[in-house]
Amino acid sequence: LGMIALTFAAGDVTGLGGGASGMSPKVVAEVGDADVPETELVQRAKQALQNVQQQNPTADMAGLIAAGGVEGLLDQMVTARAFADFAAAQGMIVSKRAVDGELASIPSFRGPDGKFSQMAYESALQQNRVTDAQVRGDISRERMIQLLTAPANAGIRVGSQLALPYASLLLERRTGAIGFIPASAV
């Protein structure tokens, strides 16, 4: 993590954080068959910094690292890839059509007519410095996580007729008295 922090600090100061072309990307984590490349982590950290700077313009990369933001990003990326790897091992997929539907439902990608606008989408990609494949991969992973965790998050609901007696037990108060009877009296 110290090396990653130094890489971010150097990238923030020198502008080389995006990685030089022609060099092989370094892997910061391996999850099953998927890797988390350093370039993607750097890119996501820069996006996170931009988001933080919208609220606090004086924020810098060193502060984000000190606050544990980069570790949190890495943890999110590893978790998402672990879910995706598990889902793939179980034969689960998210179709291209489902991803297209998710993209079309994002309000910022709509044109003046209220429908999906390819120009607005490409503009947002350029502004955020991400590729179509990255966005589609993220949407696919998020959808897969939703599908895998929905049963656990849904919870089991019981009817009020069944829950009321158990809930009432918490409000009940009972008192009693104890008396001693000598065995000879029995």
Side-chain angles (χ1 to χ4, degrees):
L1 288 175
M3 289 300 292
I4 293 171
L6 289 174
T7 302
F8 284 123
D12 193 41
V13 172
T14 64
L16 298 175
S21 61
M23 295 179 70
S24 63
K26 296 177 184 173
V27 175
V28 293
E30 293 180 13
V31 183
D33 295 335
D35 294 336
V36 178
E38 178 185 15
T39 54
E40 185 179 350
L41 183 59
V42 169
Q43 180 184 18
R44 290 188 188 251
K46 287 182 179 182
Q47 287 174 343
L49 179 61
Q50 288 175 350
N51 292 339
V52 170
Q53 285 176 336
Q54 289 176 354
Q55 302 296 327
N56 179 10
T58 61
D60 61 352
M61 188 60 75
L64 182 67
I65 293 168
V70 176
E71 290 175 22
L73 284 171
L74 181 60
D75 188 43
Q76 289 174 0
M77 294 169 71
V78 166
T79 302
R81 280 173 172 75
F83 271 111
D85 192 49
F86 174 77
Q90 303 307 313
M92 295 177 69
I93 60 166
V94 176
S95 69
K96 181 184 183 304
R97 190 173 199 178
V99 173
D100 289 343
E102 290 281 336
L103 281 172
S105 69
I106 298 174
S108 61
F109 298 154
R110 294 185 185 149
D113 59 354
K115 296 180 181 177
F116 179 78
S117 168
Q118 186 67 29
M119 286 179 47
Y121 175 64
E122 289 174 3
S123 173
L125 291 178
Q126 285 180 341
Q127 184 180 9
N128 292 310
R129 296 183 185 119
V130 294
T131 65
D132 179 57
Q134 288 173 323
V135 171
R136 289 179 177 277
D138 286 347
I139 289 173
S140 179
R141 277 191 292 274
E142 284 181 33
R143 186 71 179 127
M144 195 67 64
I145 290 170
Q146 289 173 354
L147 291 171
L148 288 170
T149 59
N153 292 336
I156 298 173
R157 302 195 186 265
V158 295
S160 61
Q161 290 181 342
L162 181 62
L164 185 61
Y166 290 104
S168 297
L169 288 175
L170 297 173
L171 302 174
E172 283 186 13
R173 230 182 191 163
R174 297 180 183 214
T175 58
I178 298 176
F180 292 102
I181 301 174
S184 60
V186 176

